[in-house]
PDB file of all heavy atoms in Angstrom:
ATOM      1  N   ASP X   3     111.187 102.543 114.069  1.00 50.00           N
ATOM      2  CA  ASP X   3     111.651 101.941 112.803  1.00 50.00           C
ATOM      3  C   ASP X   3     112.012 100.510 113.266  1.00 50.00           C
ATOM      4  O   ASP X   3     112.058 100.204 114.409  1.00 50.00           O
ATOM      5  CB  ASP X   3     112.836 102.780 112.181  1.00 50.00           C
ATOM      6  CG  ASP X   3     112.395 103.990 111.639  1.00 50.00           C
ATOM      7  OD1 ASP X   3     111.150 104.081 111.349  1.00 50.00           O
ATOM      8  OD2 ASP X   3     113.154 104.950 111.406  1.00 50.00           O
ATOM      9  N   GLY X  18     114.643  87.910  97.110  1.00 92.00           N
ATOM     10  CA  GLY X  18     114.204  87.639  95.670  1.00 92.00           C
ATOM     11  C   GLY X  18     115.217  86.732  94.995  1.00 92.00           C
ATOM     12  O   GLY X  18     115.779  85.795  95.595  1.00 92.00           O
ATOM     13  N   SER X  36     107.765  99.044 104.179  1.00 91.00           N
ATOM     14  CA  SER X  36     107.586 100.487 104.402  1.00 91.00           C
ATOM     15  C   SER X  36     107.021 101.037 103.181  1.00 91.00           C
ATOM     16  O   SER X  36     106.126 101.959 103.278  1.00 91.00           O
ATOM     17  CB  SER X  36     108.839 101.165 104.879  1.00 91.00           C
ATOM     18  OG  SER X  36     109.196 100.522 106.222  1.00 91.00           O
ATOM     19  N   SER X  50      95.345  89.575  93.445  1.00 93.00           N
ATOM     20  CA  SER X  50      94.754  88.153  93.583  1.00 93.00           C
ATOM     21  C   SER X  50      93.334  88.105  93.218  1.00 93.00           C
ATOM     22  O   SER X  50      92.600  87.134  93.346  1.00 93.00           O
ATOM     23  CB  SER X  50      94.913  87.755  95.067  1.00 93.00           C
ATOM     24  OG  SER X  50      93.918  88.466  95.902  1.00 93.00           O
ATOM     25  N   TYR X  60      89.684  80.889 105.060  1.00 98.00           N
ATOM     26  CA  TYR X  60      89.565  79.365 105.088  1.00 98.00           C
ATOM     27  C   TYR X  60      90.787  79.039 106.228  1.00 98.00           C
ATOM     28  O   TYR X  60      90.610  78.137 107.051  1.00 98.00           O
ATOM     29  CB  TYR X  60      90.082  78.738 103.719  1.00 98.00           C
ATOM     30  CG  TYR X  60      90.206  77.249 103.777  1.00 98.00           C
ATOM     31  CD1 TYR X  60      89.031  76.491 103.784  1.00 98.00           C
ATOM     32  CD2 TYR X  60      91.449  76.582 103.877  1.00 98.00           C
ATOM     33  CE1 TYR X  60      89.006  75.192 103.859  1.00 98.00           C
ATOM     34  CE2 TYR X  60      91.456  75.237 103.939  1.00 98.00           C
ATOM     35  CZ  TYR X  60      90.240  74.458 103.869  1.00 98.00           C
ATOM     36  OH  TYR X  60      90.381  73.223 104.077  1.00 98.00           O
ATOM     37  N   VAL X  62      91.823  80.737 108.766  1.00 98.00           N
ATOM     38  CA  VAL X  62      91.228  80.990 110.218  1.00 98.00           C
ATOM     39  C   VAL X  62      90.024  80.012 110.526  1.00 98.00           C
ATOM     40  O   VAL X  62      90.047  79.449 111.600  1.00 98.00           O
ATOM     41  CB  VAL X  62      90.767  82.498 110.310  1.00 98.00           C
ATOM     42  CG1 VAL X  62      90.136  82.768 111.635  1.00 98.00           C
ATOM     43  CG2 VAL X  62      92.069  83.339 110.311  1.00 98.00           C
ATOM     44  N   VAL X  73      95.986  84.319 121.100  1.00 98.00           N
ATOM     45  CA  VAL X  73      96.645  83.947 119.872  1.00 98.00           C
ATOM     46  C   VAL X  73      97.615  85.002 119.481  1.00 98.00           C
ATOM     47  O   VAL X  73      97.459  86.214 119.586  1.00 98.00           O
ATOM     48  CB  VAL X  73      95.448  83.967 118.734  1.00 98.00           C
ATOM     49  CG1 VAL X  73      96.068  83.566 117.379  1.00 98.00           C
ATOM     50  CG2 VAL X  73      94.340  83.016 119.025  1.00 98.00           C
ATOM     51  N   LEU X  74      98.791  84.574 118.842  1.00 98.00           N
ATOM     52  CA  LEU X  74      99.868  85.466 118.313  1.00 98.00           C
ATOM     53  C   LEU X  74      99.670  85.399 116.723  1.00 98.00           C
ATOM     54  O   LEU X  74      99.901  84.202 116.124  1.00 98.00           O
ATOM     55  CB  LEU X  74     101.232  84.928 118.773  1.00 98.00           C
ATOM     56  CG  LEU X  74     102.450  85.642 118.045  1.00 98.00           C
ATOM     57  CD1 LEU X  74     102.388  87.072 118.363  1.00 98.00           C
ATOM     58  CD2 LEU X  74     103.715  84.989 118.479  1.00 98.00           C
ATOM     59  N   LEU X  76     101.771  86.517 113.911  1.00 98.00           N
ATOM     60  CA  LEU X  76     103.024  86.991 113.471  1.00 98.00           C
ATOM     61  C   LEU X  76     103.130  87.514 112.179  1.00 98.00           C
ATOM     62  O   LEU X  76     102.336  86.974 111.174  1.00 98.00           O
ATOM     63  CB  LEU X  76     104.057  85.760 113.539  1.00 98.00           C
ATOM     64  CG  LEU X  76     104.878  85.583 114.779  1.00 98.00           C
ATOM     65  CD1 LEU X  76     105.821  84.474 114.616  1.00 98.00           C
ATOM     66  CD2 LEU X  76     105.641  86.886 115.258  1.00 98.00           C
ATOM     67  N   THR X  80      98.848  94.443 108.225  1.00 95.00           N
ATOM     68  CA  THR X  80      97.698  95.308 108.380  1.00 95.00           C
ATOM     69  C   THR X  80      96.375  94.650 108.991  1.00 95.00           C
ATOM     70  O   THR X  80      95.383  95.227 109.027  1.00 95.00           O
ATOM     71  CB  THR X  80      97.378  95.930 107.004  1.00 95.00           C
ATOM     72  OG1 THR X  80      96.961  94.957 106.145  1.00 95.00           O
ATOM     73  CG2 THR X  80      98.452  96.806 106.439  1.00 95.00           C
ATOM     74  N   ALA X  84      94.230  88.963 112.027  1.00 96.00           N
ATOM     75  CA  ALA X  84      93.813  89.338 113.382  1.00 96.00           C
ATOM     76  C   ALA X  84      92.512  89.656 113.434  1.00 96.00           C
ATOM     77  O   ALA X  84      91.744  89.257 114.467  1.00 96.00           O
ATOM     78  CB  ALA X  84      94.858  90.456 113.868  1.00 96.00           C
ATOM     79  N   ALA X 130     110.234  87.933 114.092  1.00 98.00           N
ATOM     80  CA  ALA X 130     109.789  86.570 114.367  1.00 98.00           C
ATOM     81  C   ALA X 130     110.912  85.601 114.824  1.00 98.00           C
ATOM     82  O   ALA X 130     110.631  84.522 115.350  1.00 98.00           O
ATOM     83  CB  ALA X 130     109.172  85.985 113.064  1.00 98.00           C
ATOM     84  N   PHE X 135     108.351  86.891 124.120  1.00 98.00           N
ATOM     85  CA  PHE X 135     107.251  86.323 124.930  1.00 98.00           C
ATOM     86  C   PHE X 135     107.857  85.110 125.689  1.00 98.00           C
ATOM     87  O   PHE X 135     108.729  84.393 125.120  1.00 98.00           O
ATOM     88  CB  PHE X 135     106.123  85.874 124.035  1.00 98.00           C
ATOM     89  CG  PHE X 135     105.636  86.934 123.149  1.00 98.00           C
ATOM     90  CD1 PHE X 135     105.817  86.848 121.792  1.00 98.00           C
ATOM     91  CD2 PHE X 135     104.956  88.124 123.597  1.00 98.00           C
ATOM     92  CE1 PHE X 135     105.403  87.826 120.884  1.00 98.00           C
ATOM     93  CE2 PHE X 135     104.465  89.119 122.798  1.00 98.00           C
ATOM     94  CZ  PHE X 135     104.637  88.940 121.446  1.00 98.00           C
ATOM     95  N   VAL X 143      99.509  79.996 117.253  1.00 98.00           N
ATOM     96  CA  VAL X 143     100.383  81.090 116.576  1.00 98.00           C
ATOM     97  C   VAL X 143     100.178  81.034 115.065  1.00 98.00           C
ATOM     98  O   VAL X 143     100.227  79.866 114.456  1.00 98.00           O
ATOM     99  CB  VAL X 143     101.860  80.838 116.879  1.00 98.00           C
ATOM    100  CG1 VAL X 143     102.783  81.856 116.122  1.00 98.00           C
ATOM    101  CG2 VAL X 143     102.099  80.839 118.329  1.00 98.00           C
ATOM    102  N   GLU X 161     110.965  79.605 117.345  1.00 98.00           N
ATOM    103  CA  GLU X 161     110.384  80.552 118.321  1.00 98.00           C
ATOM    104  C   GLU X 161     108.841  80.339 118.346  1.00 98.00           C
ATOM    105  O   GLU X 161     108.270  80.451 119.431  1.00 98.00           O
ATOM    106  CB  GLU X 161     110.685  81.990 117.851  1.00 98.00           C
ATOM    107  CG  GLU X 161     112.048  82.402 118.243  1.00 98.00           C
ATOM    108  CD  GLU X 161     112.159  82.620 119.752  1.00 98.00           C
ATOM    109  OE1 GLU X 161     112.381  81.591 120.544  1.00 98.00           O
ATOM    110  OE2 GLU X 161     111.875  83.734 120.336  1.00 98.00           O
ATOM    111  N   PRO X 198     104.483  93.412  88.404  1.00 92.00           N
ATOM    112  CA  PRO X 198     105.250  94.587  88.573  1.00 92.00           C
ATOM    113  C   PRO X 198     104.516  95.799  87.870  1.00 92.00           C
ATOM    114  O   PRO X 198     104.698  96.919  88.338  1.00 92.00           O
ATOM    115  CB  PRO X 198     106.542  94.301  87.749  1.00 92.00           C
ATOM    116  CG  PRO X 198     106.654  92.767  87.787  1.00 92.00           C
ATOM    117  CD  PRO X 198     105.167  92.283  87.835  1.00 92.00           C
ATOM    118  N   GLU X 232     109.135  70.101 111.177  1.00 98.00           N
ATOM    119  CA  GLU X 232     109.485  68.960 112.054  1.00 98.00           C
ATOM    120  C   GLU X 232     110.836  69.136 112.859  1.00 98.00           C
ATOM    121  O   GLU X 232     110.900  68.883 113.891  1.00 98.00           O
ATOM    122  CB  GLU X 232     109.446  67.648 111.165  1.00 98.00           C
ATOM    123  CG  GLU X 232     108.063  67.173 110.849  1.00 98.00           C
ATOM    124  CD  GLU X 232     108.003  66.305 109.625  1.00 98.00           C
ATOM    125  OE1 GLU X 232     109.013  66.101 108.995  1.00 98.00           O
ATOM    126  OE2 GLU X 232     106.906  65.680 109.392  1.00 98.00           O
ATOM    127  N   ARG X 238     102.998  66.092 114.284  1.00 98.00           N
ATOM    128  CA  ARG X 238     101.857  65.980 113.563  1.00 98.00           C
ATOM    129  C   ARG X 238     101.754  66.971 112.452  1.00 98.00           C
ATOM    130  O   ARG X 238     100.791  67.709 112.293  1.00 98.00           O
ATOM    131  CB  ARG X 238     100.613  65.948 114.391  1.00 98.00           C
ATOM    132  CG  ARG X 238     100.523  64.663 115.220  1.00 98.00           C
ATOM    133  CD  ARG X 238      99.099  64.621 116.024  1.00 98.00           C
ATOM    134  NE  ARG X 238      99.187  65.441 117.035  1.00 98.00           N
ATOM    135  CZ  ARG X 238      98.151  66.220 117.516  1.00 98.00           C
ATOM    136  NH1 ARG X 238      97.093  66.224 116.727  1.00 98.00           N
ATOM    137  NH2 ARG X 238      98.220  66.937 118.592  1.00 98.00           N
ATOM    138  N   TYR X 255     101.973  70.942 115.786  1.00 98.00           N
ATOM    139  CA  TYR X 255     101.519  71.085 117.195  1.00 98.00           C
ATOM    140  C   TYR X 255     102.820  71.060 118.173  1.00 98.00           C
ATOM    141  O   TYR X 255     103.736  70.385 117.891  1.00 98.00           O
ATOM    142  CB  TYR X 255     100.647  69.945 117.547  1.00 98.00           C
ATOM    143  CG  TYR X 255      99.205  70.086 116.895  1.00 98.00           C
ATOM    144  CD1 TYR X 255      99.126  69.525 115.586  1.00 98.00           C
ATOM    145  CD2 TYR X 255      98.224  70.671 117.460  1.00 98.00           C
ATOM    146  CE1 TYR X 255      97.931  69.661 114.923  1.00 98.00           C
ATOM    147  CE2 TYR X 255      97.005  70.836 116.808  1.00 98.00           C
ATOM    148  CZ  TYR X 255      96.819  70.341 115.614  1.00 98.00           C
ATOM    149  OH  TYR X 255      95.651  70.442 114.925  1.00 98.00           O
TER     150      TYR X 255
END
Side-chain angles (χ1 to χ4, degrees):
D3 288 338
S36 293
S50 74
Y60 183 79
V62 171
V73 183
L74 171 63
L76 264 181
T80 59
F135 309 111
V143 178
E161 281 292 84
E232 287 162 350
R238 290 185 283 140
Y255 292 83

